[in-house]
Amino acid sequence: MLEIRRWPTELRAGIVGTGFMGRIHARAARLTGARLAGVAGSTAERARQAGQLLGADRVFDTAEDLIESGLIDVVHICTPNHLHAPLTLKALDAGLAVICEKPLATDARTAALMAGRAEEAGLLGAVPFVYRFHPMVREARARMADIGRASLIQGSYLQDWLLEPTDDNWRVDPELGGPGRAIGDIGTHWCDLAEFVTGDRIARVSAQTAVVVTDRATNSPVLTEDVATVQFTTASGALGSVNVSQVAPGRKNRLVLEVSGTSGSLAFDQEDPERLWLGDRAGSHTLVRDPVTLSEAARRYSPLPAGHAQGYHDCFDAFVADSYAAIRGEYRDGLPTFEDGARAAVITDAILDSARTGEWVPC
Ligand code: SOE
């Protein structure tokens, strides 16, 4: 566990990045009781607009100004991926706690450096692997003992928002997003969730990647993968596979994880997060989220009664709440830290390596 510095006063949150994720972080920070003390973006004008929209106390011309202002306790870094490392290191040097979007860095060595630096500084570094905060994910984790020894861990993470050549985004550009796009952007979520739920580690991978849409408006030729398929074995000897795509028509944000064990199976679908499928030789059933009957671990993330659907925002808010609790010295089980971000970067590098060489790669 990290040695965390304690802040006695109301946390002052700064948001760097004014896109979709910046807004999600800002909302969660507010709900968690922090002050939205400052915002910065890629340009002063964008920061001004976001500052107005979000009602931030101050607008900073640059991320560096925000970090060095002395007015911020915790910075949320929601920029394109290539800026995660330099801004995080600057923030840690300035004594700030950091919540940095995934992928933590665009290569494993840099991600490890960031995790090491946070630990040395005694500052929290957290990474929003937020699907961990679905109550039914916690329930799945709590029920792993019931399914026996895992033999097969499999699933997929499918989206379609990059299906057309006219769909474009900074993530497509390796200079901004890093060398692995679908893997870094969404494959990391799946691998984190698989390891989190099972408590097992992906030990080696064999992967293939492909670019499907070869030309996009600002990225031609496209150099980062649209789809990937990964086979793996785990430390405990289970076999597994995951398919990842950002060009799967009709699939919006479908992360499915299924684990088969020696006595039972379970499956979770991120687009249907109020349910958990459970099966054994005698039959199967769907467990619906109900705080009255859930495990203690799942109940903690289940503030609403059964039948009152929880979702993505709830996960994000719970993640930020647990991050802020950790900043104050209270570590809650399952908080994804920079260690987890660095672990995801190791798996990403191994997948890209394997896809390039055709070899199995340890991770
Ligand atoms: C875009 O692919 C994206 O917003 C990811 O960056 C998020 O991490 C994922 O939760 C949804 O899709």
Side-chain angles (χ1 to χ4, degrees):
M1 203 190 96
L2 296 171
E3 195 59 47
I4 307 291
R5 183 199 290 185
R6 289 161 198 263
W7 278 265
T9 52
E10 179 189 42
L11 286 177
R12 297 167 301 171
I15 308 287
V16 179
T18 58
F20 166 60
M21 290 320 299
R23 293 196 295 276
I24 301 264
H25 281 252
R27 174 186 181 278
R30 269 249 168 72
L31 270 175
T32 307
R35 213 185 158 76
L36 191 52
V39 65
S42 53
T43 65
E45 178 51 22
R46 284 201 180 169
R48 198 189 54 73
Q49 285 169 4
Q52 237 167 32
L53 184 77
L54 303 173
D57 291 352
R58 296 222 8 198
V59 171
F60 293 89
D61 283 353
T62 67
E64 288 77 8
D65 289 348
L66 179 144
I67 288 167
E68 284 157 7
S69 66
L71 298 172
I72 304 294
D73 299 310
V74 52
V75 62
H76 294 240
I77 298 178
C78 313
T79 61
N81 303 339
H82 72 303
L83 295 174
H84 291 176
L87 292 178
T88 291
L89 295 175
K90 202 174 270 294
L92 292 171
D93 284 350
L96 308 188
V98 181
I99 296 181
C100 180
E101 265 301 331
K102 34 65 32 192
L104 184 56
T106 53
D107 67 273
R109 207 182 48 80
T110 309
L113 175 89
M114 293 159 78
R117 197 69 77 75
E119 193 173 357
E120 273 161 37
L123 292 163
L124 177 78
V127 179
F129 286 127
V130 292
Y131 302 133
R132 288 184 180 201
F133 292 83
H134 281 300
M136 299 317 271
V137 162
R138 299 292 172 134
E139 188 65 24
R141 189 172 180 238
R143 285 175 182 255
M144 273 303 294
D146 300 345
I147 72 164
R149 184 171 50 80
S151 55
L152 186 66
I153 303 168
Q154 46 96 18
S156 57
Y157 195 159
L158 308 178
Q159 301 179 327
D160 72 358
W161 65 283
L162 286 169
L163 181 63
E164 305 293 342
T166 45
D167 296 324
D168 212 347
N169 184 269
W170 58 261
R171 288 177 177 82
V172 176
D173 181 349
E175 296 282 314
L176 308 183
R181 187 232 312 158
I183 288 297
D185 189 38
I186 58 176
T188 47
H189 271 303
W190 192 93
C191 294
D192 177 76
L193 206 67
E195 292 197 340
F196 179 67
V197 167
T198 62
D200 204 353
R201 299 245 309 179
I202 296 171
R204 56 186 201 127
V205 295
S206 167
Q208 294 179 78
T209 59
V211 176
V212 177
V213 181
T214 50
D215 294 291
R216 297 182 186 273
T218 59
N219 286 286
S220 281
V222 171
L223 299 171
T224 53
E225 78 286 353
D226 292 311
V227 297
T229 178
V230 183
Q231 262 194 86
F232 58 84
T233 56
T234 69
S236 81
L239 305 187
S241 69
V242 58
N243 294 316
V244 174
S245 175
Q246 295 188 308
V247 295
R251 294 301 189 194
K252 301 303 170 188
N253 201 37
R254 189 168 194 261
L255 183 164
V256 173
L257 171 67
E258 180 158 337
V259 187
S260 316
T262 44
S263 52
S265 301
L266 53 83
F268 174 76
D269 173 355
Q270 197 286 137
E271 288 186 334
D272 189 14
E274 291 278 280
R275 291 166 222 284
L276 181 67
W277 179 86
L278 299 168
D280 61 26
R281 186 63 179 269
S284 66
H285 69 283
T286 302
L287 184 71
V288 178
R289 185 186 63 79
D290 182 347
V292 177
T293 55
L294 292 184
S295 64
E296 178 53 38
R299 203 175 312 132
R300 147 177 267 174
Y301 296 100
S302 205
L304 297 179
H308 298 71
Q310 290 186 207
Y312 181 76
H313 265 317
D314 300 284
C315 289
F316 219 98
D317 299 342
F319 159 72
V320 172
D322 282 9
S323 298
Y324 288 4
I327 290 170
R328 293 205 168 88
E330 185 202 338
Y331 174 81
R332 297 179 187 157
D333 180 48
L335 177 67
T337 65
F338 277 11
E339 287 299 329
D340 301 296
R343 167 72 189 143
V346 167
I347 299 174
T348 301
D349 277 11
I351 290 172
L352 295 178
D353 231 26
S354 171
R356 201 169 38 243
T357 60
E359 303 289 331
W360 280 86
V361 178
C363 52

